[in-house]
Amino acid sequence: MKNFIKITIIVLLCIIVGCKGNSEKEGKTTSEITTNDNVETTTNKEKPFIWEAANVYFLLTDRFNNGDITNDNVLDRTKKTGILRGFEGGDLKGIIQKIEEGYFEKLGVDAIWFNPAVEQIHDSVDEGTGNTYAFHGYWAKDWTKIDPNYGTYEDLKQLIEVAHKNGIRILMDVVLNHTGPVTEKDPVWPDNWVRTEPQCTYKDYETAVTCTLVKNLPDIKTESDEEVELPKVLLDKWKAEGRLEIELAELDIFFTKTGLKKSPKNYIIKWLTDYVRELGIDGYRIDTVKHVEEGAWSVLAEQAKLAFAEWKSKNPDKVLDDNEFYVLGELYGYGIDGKRYYDFGDRKVDYFANGFDNLINFQFKYDAAQNNYEKLFRKYNKILSTNLSGKSVMNYISSHDDDDPFDKDRSKTYESATKLLLTPGISQIYYGDETARPLIIEDTEGDATLRSNMNWDAMDNEETKTLLGHWQKLGTFRKDHPSVGAGTHKMISKSPYVFSRNYQKDGYTDKVIVGLDLPKGQKTIKVNSVFPEGTILVDHYSNEEATVVKNEISFNSNFYIALLAVKK
């Protein structure tokens, strides 16, 4: 009778509060218990998106994929140009196509950064390399409109929505410190807006900030708090396009709401944050950080975070997570060496304290050149967990303007992937890194050689497929396991080289073990108590399974690498 009453009470409790399975472990759900009833492996909390562990894909819109041939020839941009210095046809719809095809998902990409999409100067510039159009997006004419060669505002809106539906965040590339070059079709803005000289000499803070980057690239007077009228050329343009009144009304609302002065930088800050406020852009990649006073970046970051919060409040059904707006900067020459500041010679500036969550790491290619994985990983783990705790850096092996990349001749494509995607910090894949897109193009001048069209035609090549598979396995492992980019690194054994990563925060835990330079075929790997006895692990690289027995696992695979995590 007593047993009957006891069973009845248990059944009633199950009905009221819900039973958690057959486990006898108090306080643990079945998702916290492996197939071995005695082994706790991980929390059951949903995997969060962690910017510090992100896998970012950087592409030049015009060179990536042509999704709409009707916008290939617009604005009479028809002059003959130097090789790869004109518009090639890629557009926002092309990016959308590749998201929908699952290209980024298979690569483990969880954030996309593409070049500035705002309207560019209409005419070309002869830089001694033949005519060059603003295909790259860094020569703004009108911050309030999308360049028609890239597409429309609706295309951008669709891109962000499609990306978000696929769990991908969008980093908007922004330029605050200069307009595009002056041409017959693109007149210079008033002198209370821009300076056209002197050219920067980089001797100290002033000669790097209050100057033009290059000749004929008008520099916005971001240091000025003087209230200025809008340039007549911009007012005339808006009037011709039938949107003058609405643009002026929105500006009045912004300046009344924020209390900011109508200074040059604050106008542009309004225009840039509109894309966040209206579309839910997740973060900025900011161009030429050291050429603008750090206080201006603080204002931009503050306004962007407010704009993001406003978008979230108006679109609760579209919110992906509770992360704040993310700000990543290109501070040319900054490297992960333990310092938070940049030294101008006469002044040191901590940009992390002025709105930035992350800075691009120009040091990575040099660190990666050393043939010592442990030294590379240990260094980054130490700095990111001490001096840069709460912040991060973004590592890369090639980019659109680094003429001395880690692997320019594409002879170390597998090593590039392994080092980039397994190093602590954010990883940045430059389009075509994963397919060995050539970085040396015959007869090009300057950085055009780095900006060739994406080599989609190589996808049927078996060699390309195998290489892409390597990038995909590492990328998806990284995406599935935040510990890879944001966890604590610890070496388990030197030979064969095996290490663990462990991430724990806010009730979420993730652990992995990675082996490199392993023997081909049968392999035995120590787990160093990272995973308890009886845990079933899966090698993400070979899909082989193994069970922890006496602090080791053994399995057979034809690969020299193993990416180990608990079987789901």
Side-chain angles (χ1 to χ4, degrees), residues 112-127:
I112 296 174
W113 151 33
F114 50 90
N115 57 287
V118 301
E119 186 174 353
Q120 301 293 288
I121 62 169
H122 292 187
D123 210 348
S124 64
V125 174
D126 187 349
E127 300 179 311

Side-chain angles (χ1 to χ4, degrees), residues 320-446:
L320 295 179
D321 54 47
D322 58 1
N323 283 318
E324 284 194 329
F325 190 80
Y326 200 73
V327 184
L328 184 154
E330 181 236 7
L331 176 61
Y332 185 78
Y334 177 82
I336 185 169
D337 56 6
K339 298 192 295 290
R340 286 175 58 106
Y341 61 82
Y342 182 84
D343 191 350
F344 286 90
D346 64 335
R347 183 172 175 178
K348 296 176 181 178
V349 178
D350 181 356
Y351 290 95
F352 287 113
N354 285 274
F356 287 91
D357 300 297
N358 186 298
L359 293 175
I360 293 174
N361 177 28
F362 290 86
Q363 176 67 30
F364 180 75
K365 63 181 182 180
Y366 303 113
D367 291 331
Q370 302 177 36
N371 293 319
N372 189 317
Y373 282 104
E374 175 59 21
K375 185 176 181 180
L376 171 67
F377 299 155
R378 187 173 65 245
K379 171 182 177 179
Y380 281 59
N381 175 74
K382 180 179 179 181
I383 295 175
L384 290 172
S385 62
T386 53
N387 298 52
L388 295 182
S389 179
K391 302 293 183 179
S392 190
V393 296
M394 185 166 76
N395 306 315
Y396 73 91
I397 60 162
S398 70
S399 76
H400 62 315
D401 57 7
D402 187 335
D403 60 4
D404 185 29
F406 171 70
D407 182 28
K408 190 166 187 175
D409 63 359
R410 299 298 198 191
S411 62
K412 298 181 287 187
T413 51
Y414 286 85
E415 179 186 345
S416 294
T418 304
K419 287 183 174 176
L420 176 67
L421 296 174
L422 294 181
T423 297
I426 291 182
S427 56
Q428 174 232 290
I429 302 171
Y430 183 45
Y431 76 107
D433 282 345
E434 74 278 17
T435 56
R437 176 180 62 85
L439 297 177
I440 302 174
I441 307 298
E442 188 176 356
D443 296 327
T444 54
E445 294 287 342

Side-chain angles (χ1 to χ4, degrees), residues 305-319:
K305 291 180 188 298
L306 290 171
F308 195 43
E310 182 178 334
W311 177 83
K312 283 186 171 184
S313 69
K314 293 180 179 179
N315 299 274
D317 58 322
K318 296 181 180 180
V319 175

Side-chain angles (χ1 to χ4, degrees), residues 95 116 229 342 393 404 456 479 494 556:
I95 303 173
E229 299 294 328
Y342 182 84
V393 296
D404 185 29
W456 296 115
K479 180 180 179 180
K494 186 175 182 180
N556 192 305

Side-chain angles (χ1 to χ4, degrees), residues 54-88:
N55 188 21
V56 178
Y57 194 93
F58 169 39
L59 60 90
L60 295 182
T61 303
D62 179 64
R63 307 300 161 96
F64 186 64
N65 185 42
N66 192 345
D68 182 2
I69 61 173
T70 65
N71 60 27
D72 289 359
N73 297 299
V74 291
L75 298 179
D76 195 32
R77 290 166 167 160
T78 56
K79 293 179 183 177
K80 184 178 180 180
T81 67
I83 297 174
L84 290 173
R85 290 191 171 274
F87 283 86
E88 295 287 323

Side-chain angles (χ1 to χ4, degrees), residues 395-509:
N395 306 315
Y396 73 91
I397 60 162
S398 70
S399 76
H400 62 315
D401 57 7
D402 187 335
D403 60 4
D404 185 29
F406 171 70
D407 182 28
K408 190 166 187 175
D409 63 359
R410 299 298 198 191
S411 62
K412 298 181 287 187
T413 51
Y414 286 85
E415 179 186 345
S416 294
T418 304
K419 287 183 174 176
L420 176 67
L421 296 174
L422 294 181
T423 297
I426 291 182
S427 56
Q428 174 232 290
I429 302 171
Y430 183 45
Y431 76 107
D433 282 345
E434 74 278 17
T435 56
R437 176 180 62 85
L439 297 177
I440 302 174
I441 307 298
E442 188 176 356
D443 296 327
T444 54
E445 294 287 342
D447 50 24
T449 192
L450 305 169
R451 304 173 178 184
S452 59
N453 289 303
M454 179 63 178
N455 57 334
W456 296 115
D457 56 352
M459 293 300 183
D460 292 331
N461 181 291
E462 288 303 318
E463 187 176 346
T464 303
K465 286 181 180 179
T466 303
L467 173 62
L468 179 59
H470 179 67
W471 281 83
Q472 289 173 333
K473 289 176 181 179
L474 286 165
T476 52
F477 184 69
R478 180 187 177 94
K479 180 180 179 180
D480 291 344
H481 297 283
S483 59
V484 176
T488 301
H489 170 86
K490 187 175 182 180
M491 185 172 71
I492 293 176
S493 65
K494 186 175 182 180
S495 182
Y497 180 54
V498 179
F499 64 87
S500 66
R501 297 277 169 82
N502 186 346
Y503 179 86
Q504 297 184 49
K505 188 175 181 180
D506 299 331
Y508 173 78
T509 298

